Structures are given as structure tokens and as C-alpha cells.
Amino acid sequence: MIRDDFAQFIQRVRTLTGIDLTAYKRPQMERRLTSLRNKHGFPDFNSYLSALYANPRLREEFMDRITINVSEFFRNPDRWVDLAAVLRTQTGPVRAWSAACAQGEEPYTLAMVMETEVRRPYNILATDIDPRALAQARQRRFRTQQVQSVPETYRRRYFTQYGDEWELHASLARHVRFERHDLLRDPYPSSLDLIICRNVLIYFTQQAKHRVVSQFVQALKPGGILFVGSTEQFLEAHRYALRPVAPFIYQKVARE
Ligand SMILES: C[S@@+](CC[C@H](N)C(=O)[O-])C[C@H]1O[C@@H](n2cnc3c(N)ncnc32)[C@H](O)[C@@H]1O
């Protein structure tokens, strides 16, 4: 039998980092990690793993390659307009969760939308598997290039510029609480009115995605909203007791 070097590697990575790479689509993950391994000249994953144990810098680089923290304020702006419209049809305080929030662009976007477009009381739990991304999010500091997608009026209202850096106001950030959370192994919060989880389900296997979405539905109150990424719509939403209310936005069906 051919020894599956990569399969053994991801088992051991779980022991080293706690991250279950078997739940991520293998071809992409294997391609990304093989190119990283090759860059350092390791002939196989076994020798690369020994180096990961020995060298914290390599470990950090490895974690960065796994997590892909690419994000953007107001990513797919039309979808945020739709989300605000949906939230305006409801009343009462909003308990929201931004899951896989990267450096905070998504929960901070939501905070701006809640303040200006929705105007309901709210608090946001923002989580990610990557502690380095969360540390950056808590700093509230973004480069000019990163805030370019923030509409001018919001940029003026919610940021202060210091040279090439823009600091998001603490008065907005106080609505957002950052915590580390692994969607594949940690318990989920409950009684939520809104879950935003965008551009991470695409990395998961079908089975893992099913597990995560089922847990999201359980975490939502009846009538609660699930907002996913623009490549992540569900063809069989009704199976999860979800109904589409706008593109990439679903509502948990209330029980009769
Ligand atoms: C491409 S970014 C998406 C960021 C943001 N949601 C957006 O759409 O702009 C993917 C994020 O998922 C996080 N992530 C990957 N696997 C995760 C897991 N198992 N649990 C929680 N977050 C995870 C990564 O650390 C990264 O910040």
C-alpha cells in the first residue's frame, strides 16, 4: 500500500495545532501546503512536520497559509444593502455573531450598518480560529488601502486618520467582542438573531459544511438571519429549515 504522507501529516498537525485539516477540501489544502513545504526544500511532509515542531517561525507561517485571512470592509456592498433592508423589517435588539471574522473588517462593517442603516440596539460576537487575526482586529488600526472600500461618509464618521493608518473609533468597537473559536470543534453560542459567516464554508468538505450549517441553524432563534458569502448559497436551504429572503441571506423558519 502506498503510504499517504499528506494524510499522516494532517493527523499530526491536529496534535500540534488542534486544527482538523481533514474537514477542509483536500486538493486546495494539499496544493497550498505542498508549495509552502517545497519553498523550504523539504522533500516530504514528514520532514516538514519535524521542522514545524522545532521552529516557531515556520509554525506561524504555516498557520497563516492554512487560515487565509483575506477580508474587506463592505465586501460585496450590495449584499450589505440587502442585509440592512432585511434587518429593518424586524424589531428589537440584535444579538449577532460574525464567525470567521479575520481582522475584524466584517463585524466592524456590521457595526457601521447597524448604527446608520438599521438603528436597532445590537451587540456582536466576532470570532476566528486565528489568534493573530484577532489581535489585529482588537487594535482597530487599518491601512489606507484597507479602508478604501469604506464609504467616504462612514470613513469620516467612524475613523481617525494617523498618516497611513486609520483608527476605528472605540465608541463603535465597544459593540464588538472578539473571541477565538474553531467552527469545527468549539461549542456554538445560542439565541442569536443574526449569524454572518462568509468565505470560509467554501474551504470545508461537504460533510463539514453540513455540520457547521446545522449548528448555525440551531444557534439561531426562530426568525433569525444567516448571511453567507457570495459563492456559498444553499441549494437545499429548506432542509435546514432556512428560507432565502435575499441573495445569500436566509431566515430560520419559525415553527408553527
Ligand atoms: C477568507 S477569510 C474570510 C473573512 C471574512 N468572513 C470575509 O468574508 O471577508 C477566512 C477566515 O476563516 C478563518 N477560519 C478558517 N478555518 C476556520 C475554522 N475552522 N473556524 C473558525 N475560523 C476559521 C480564517 O482564519 C480566516 O480569517
Side-chain angles (χ1 to χ4, degrees):
M1 206 175 83
I2 301 169
R3 193 168 130 261
D4 189 341
D5 189 33
F6 187 72
Q8 286 190 0
F9 174 71
I10 60 178
Q11 290 304 336
R12 293 188 184 145
V13 161
R14 194 172 185 169
T15 314
L16 177 66
T17 66
I19 299 178
D20 176 12
L21 290 183
T22 62
Y24 294 71
K25 288 178 190 154
R26 175 163 170 165
Q28 283 122 293
M29 190 55 82
E30 188 167 2
R31 217 178 309 121
R32 277 212 303 279
L33 296 182
T34 304
S35 77
L36 191 61
R37 186 199 87 191
N38 289 343
K39 187 180 105 180
H40 294 291
F42 296 105
D44 53 34
F45 278 108
N46 203 21
S47 49
Y48 181 44
L49 184 82
S50 310
L52 286 180
Y53 266 98
N55 184 338
R57 287 253 291 282
L58 276 188
R59 222 154 47 225
E60 237 167 51
E61 182 198 38
F62 172 77
M63 289 295 288
D64 280 350
R65 186 61 68 97
I66 293 179
T67 50
I68 314 168
N69 302 126
V70 180
S71 190
E72 222 177 277
F73 285 100
F74 291 90
R75 193 170 190 172
N76 313 111
D78 292 349
R79 302 286 80 84
W80 288 96
V81 172
D82 289 345
L83 179 70
V86 168
L87 293 176
R88 277 198 301 267
T89 65
Q90 302 177 326
T91 54
V94 179
R95 207 172 117 81
W97 179 24
S98 166
C101 68
Q103 295 76 219
E105 294 90 335
E106 188 176 272
Y108 290 143
T109 298
L110 176 64
M112 288 184 252
V113 168
M114 293 304 298
E115 294 281 335
T116 51
E117 309 290 329
V118 179
R119 295 169 176 277
R120 291 167 58 190
Y122 68 99
N123 64 69
I124 305 168
L125 168 67
T127 63
D128 199 279
I129 198 173
D130 183 356
R132 296 213 306 165
L134 293 170
Q136 239 177 292
R138 287 189 190 101
Q139 286 194 344
R140 300 184 275 116
R141 291 232 164 193
F142 299 90
R143 288 186 309 280
T144 300
Q145 204 194 353
Q146 290 174 290
V147 297
Q148 227 130 52
S149 55
V150 179
E152 173 82 31
T153 47
Y154 293 174
R155 215 183 311 155
R156 268 196 260 118
R157 196 177 306 166
Y158 296 116
F159 290 84
T160 303
Q161 184 177 9
Y162 298 97
D164 185 39
E165 281 203 326
W166 294 69
E167 187 179 85
L168 184 105
H169 293 169
S171 55
L172 186 72
R174 76 187 167 82
H175 293 273
V176 187
R177 191 176 85 248
F178 290 97
E179 275 176 25
R180 185 177 185 274
H181 181 276
D182 181 346
L183 286 164
L184 300 168
R185 60 183 252 170
D186 292 326
Y188 282 33
S190 59
S191 301
L192 296 163
D193 301 288
L194 170 66
I195 297 176
I196 304 184
C197 183
R198 308 177 73 208
N199 306 300
V200 64
L201 296 175
I202 35 160
Y203 298 116
F204 294 158
T205 61
Q206 208 43 41
Q207 206 185 9
K209 179 176 164 179
H210 170 70
R211 236 170 45 223
V212 169
V213 175
S214 305
Q215 290 181 92
F216 280 157
V217 173
Q218 226 177 351
L220 283 172
K221 289 181 192 161
I225 302 295
L226 173 62
F227 178 26
V228 298
S230 291
T231 54
E232 298 173 318
Q233 72 201 12
F234 313 124
L235 296 176
E236 297 193 317
H238 62 278
R239 286 201 172 187
Y240 296 99
L242 291 171
R243 72 180 180 101
V245 286
F248 311 101
I249 301 177
Y250 299 87
Q251 181 170 41
K252 178 172 173 176
V253 177
R255 293 229 173 82
E256 284 101 58

